[in-house]
Amino acid sequence: MKKTFFIIGSLLISFSSFSQLSVRDNGYIFVSDQVLFVEDDINLNESDSKLYLRNEAQLIQGTGTTGNSGVGELSVYQTGNADVVTFNYWCSPVGIPIGPNGNSDIRVDLIDEATNVVTSGDPTGLISSIDAGFTNDYDGLTAPLRISNRWLYNYIASNQFSSWIPLNETTTFNTGLGFTMKGIDGVSNQLYDFRGKANNGNIENLVGVNMFTLIGNPYPSAIDAREFMHDPQNSSAITGVLYYWEQQPESHFFSSYIGGYATYTITNTEPPSETFAFATFAKYDSNGIPNFTPPGPGGTKRAERYIPVGQGFMIEGVADANVVLRNNHRVFEKIAPGNSQFFRILNESNNSADTNTANTNSSVAYNEYGLSIVPDGHKRFRLNVTFNDEFVRQLVHNFHSTATDGFDYGFEAKMSSTAPNEASWILDDVPYVIQANAFDTDLVIPVVVNAESDQAISFSLFDVQNFDESQSIYIHDMDNNIYVDLREQSYDINISAGQYDSRFEIVFVSETLNQDFEEFSNLNVFANNKISTITVQNPNLLDIKTVRLYDINGRLILNEAIKSVASTYNFSSESLSDGVYVDKIETRDNKSLSKKLILKNY
């Protein structure tokens, strides 16, 4: 355990045999850049009794069951990253400071404004604060801090947009529930001071089957997503996926909202493997249903294993049950950079001097894309499906020896919602954004595509990890019987409006490019680019019926009916553009061979 560092001024404290901590009268404890560990309860007895956590200091409590008490306040900072028209999802680390032992309800007005932001250079600002003001105007304001109460909501055990529960700053709600709050005009990194009774011990809230609940980290320390998700009570209550909201700054009008949910899960293997899928943005209709073509490239923010102070997120239930957070989920993780972040842009700097966001104490490493590197024994790739060059749906596929053909908790994640133009993995007729299997070269992984209108789509790979260099990853277009190795190039095609649930699949062996029909063993097809000719060598004198050439979009470019048997056929490619094509040869007994050709005119 790291040492605890105190600056103590005018205080009376006592430690019992159970490491109980008590602060009396107008005394205080100031902890900077360290962890304060208390085995049992904390008593901040009088209203002037204080405990300050600064410079990313955090409080962790042990197995004691007494519960915190007193009417004094713990104070802990966190910095938001929403602007005046966008939401952060929050969860308060403190409750109402009332005397009896145990957690108390939450109110948004437990947020103060840290005065070291307002009064630059004032050393007393490290411990003093000003109550945050609240306004019914659309925009929150700073200096002094005014939070708009128009945008305060809970969401509890529902799947209906109409179920968002409006709050105001004095509405009380259960410890551990999250809430939405927009940022402040002209400030994208507002520093908030949460003041109240430190939350501690087991904290439970209701989830429902196929229903979402907005919860979060309810402690004045980070929590470990792995410990939370794989807690036995939780693994039977939720899907094992955390959903983080990200939004583009547009306006307060709901019809202008552009955003979506990023997806995070983590395995319980040793070592564990994290999987994160960036948010795909959509517009929303008045019922909260994604509509139109999702605009823009999508999300840029990333969630990580260690969930920081104040962070809120959505979970989905698989049973009518209570989800629990416990003290043994808590960890001391702070900024470094590393893998505990208040959901933010990759490598985004934090200008606040005091925020609880990230650390490198974990063994997780990151690649050049800022994405976690999977440990040995795991494989991963990301499939980007781009619609009309306008937006990308990124699908993640994991591979591990323990993964099954069914649902694998900690490996897989359903989509939080789908749009009219969409791509997904599929399991039991349910769309997934993250899926897993035990790797086998005979695997066939369907990709479902929905197109609201005629449009161009493109399939490409990203973030391929732990695959042999020689292992191809093909997209198979079954309608055109085309295989494209996505490790070498993208597959671009124009499709008509409709749902394609049995056309595209990911495979690892190109069957038609590697036919084992004995009669094809000596058939050779190649592009002789120096003389602009496609040559078919047929030494076994097969009875060939047709020779067809398709471009990469599946369009038929050349269709030659063969009238007589010959040992060699030559076809001009002089009029064809440089690029990748598929040559398909079919015999009169309806056997076929396809081969990829690269044409280049000199």
Side-chain angles (χ1 to χ4, degrees), residues 471-598:
Q471 177 59 65
S472 296
I473 302 174
Y474 296 99
I475 184 73
H476 179 204
D477 182 343
M478 289 177 277
D479 282 9
N480 294 323
N481 199 26
I482 292 176
Y483 290 78
V484 176
D485 187 351
L486 296 177
R487 298 192 75 176
E488 296 182 359
Q489 63 187 71
S490 64
Y491 179 48
D492 305 309
I493 187 171
N494 294 307
I495 60 174
S496 302
Q499 178 170 324
Y500 298 88
D501 53 11
S502 58
R503 177 172 178 176
F504 303 107
E505 60 189 15
I506 295 292
V507 295
F508 302 96
V509 176
S510 173
E511 294 181 0
T512 60
L513 296 181
N514 296 280
Q515 291 284 5
D516 59 359
F517 299 131
E518 184 177 351
E519 59 264 45
F520 283 141
S521 60
N522 292 319
L523 190 71
N524 186 25
V525 184
F526 62 92
N528 192 339
N529 288 322
K530 290 185 177 180
I531 60 173
S532 300
T533 299
I534 297 169
T535 297
V536 178
Q537 294 177 335
N538 183 27
N540 291 349
L541 299 179
L542 300 179
D543 193 359
I544 296 174
K545 181 172 64 175
T546 58
V547 176
R548 295 188 176 98
L549 190 71
Y550 296 88
D551 69 9
I552 201 65
N553 291 316
R555 292 187 293 261
L556 182 63
I557 302 301
L558 181 148
N559 186 9
E560 292 287 343
I562 306 302
K563 297 178 180 178
S564 61
V565 176
S567 61
T568 303
Y569 303 94
N570 291 298
F571 308 98
S572 175
S573 60
E574 188 175 6
S575 63
L576 302 180
S577 301
D578 293 355
V580 179
Y581 295 81
V582 174
D583 191 89
K584 183 175 181 180
I585 298 172
E586 187 173 356
T587 63
R588 294 193 190 280
D589 56 357
N590 295 320
K591 294 179 180 179
S592 63
L593 172 72
S594 295
K595 184 171 182 179
K596 182 173 65 177
L597 302 176
I598 299 176

Side-chain angles (χ1 to χ4, degrees), residues 215-450:
I215 65 165
N217 173 9
Y219 302 111
S221 69
I223 60 173
D224 186 340
R226 182 191 186 189
E227 294 299 320
F228 165 68
M229 289 161 54
H230 292 279
D231 185 292
Q233 180 172 330
N234 296 338
S235 62
S236 61
I238 61 175
T239 61
V241 181
L242 311 182
Y243 296 98
Y244 292 85
W245 173 255
E246 183 176 358
Q247 183 181 348
Q248 282 185 359
E250 294 293 332
S251 77
H252 287 305
F253 293 103
F254 186 74
S255 60
S256 299
Y257 281 13
I258 297 172
Y261 285 94
T263 310
Y264 177 91
T265 191
I266 187 171
T267 68
N268 205 27
T269 56
E270 287 296 344
S273 178
E274 301 177 79
T275 310
F276 174 77
F278 290 98
T280 295
F281 286 169
K283 289 188 176 181
Y284 294 83
D285 64 20
S286 59
N287 296 313
I289 305 299
N291 65 355
F292 312 117
T293 297
T300 58
K301 296 180 180 180
R302 182 184 68 196
E304 297 177 326
R305 173 175 175 178
Y306 298 106
I307 304 170
V309 174
Q311 178 70 67
F313 50 84
M314 285 282 193
I315 55 174
E316 183 182 8
V318 297
D320 295 326
N322 282 324
V323 68
V324 65
L325 290 118
R326 309 181 195 272
N327 280 352
N328 62 10
H329 301 164
R330 297 166 72 170
V331 289
F332 178 47
E333 290 285 340
K334 59 179 192 146
I335 198 165
N339 62 327
S340 168
Q341 296 202 29
F342 200 80
F343 186 53
R344 66 178 63 252
I345 295 172
L346 300 183
N347 302 319
E348 179 184 47
S349 62
N350 191 337
N351 295 325
S352 168
D354 199 337
T355 182
N356 287 281
T357 50
N359 199 319
T360 53
N361 290 346
S362 125
S363 60
V364 174
Y366 296 89
N367 60 20
E368 68 270 27
Y369 307 115
L371 299 165
S372 61
I373 295 176
V374 296
D376 291 343
H378 296 256
K379 299 178 189 290
R380 182 175 75 200
F381 68 76
R382 297 172 186 268
L383 176 67
N384 286 348
V385 185
T386 305
F387 292 79
N388 261 345
D389 291 324
E390 292 178 333
F391 80 100
V392 178
R393 165 59 79 181
Q394 187 176 100
L395 306 175
V396 187
H397 210 291
N398 292 313
F399 300 90
H400 190 263
S401 59
T402 62
T404 69
D405 291 336
F407 174 71
D408 295 298
Y409 189 94
F411 280 100
E412 300 182 305
K414 294 193 295 184
M415 284 186 173
S416 58
S417 62
T418 58
N421 293 294
E422 189 61 275
S424 72
W425 310 124
I426 199 76
L427 179 61
D428 296 330
D429 296 324
V430 175
Y432 277 69
V433 66
I434 303 172
Q435 200 170 55
N437 290 99
F439 182 74
D440 190 305
T441 55
D442 292 331
L443 270 175
V444 175
I445 307 169
V447 182
V448 175
V449 174
N450 293 313

Side-chain angles (χ1 to χ4, degrees), residues 28 75 98 120 168 227 239 500 571:
Y28 67 85
S75 167
I98 56 178
S120 177
N168 60 44
E227 294 299 320
T239 61
Y500 298 88
F571 308 98

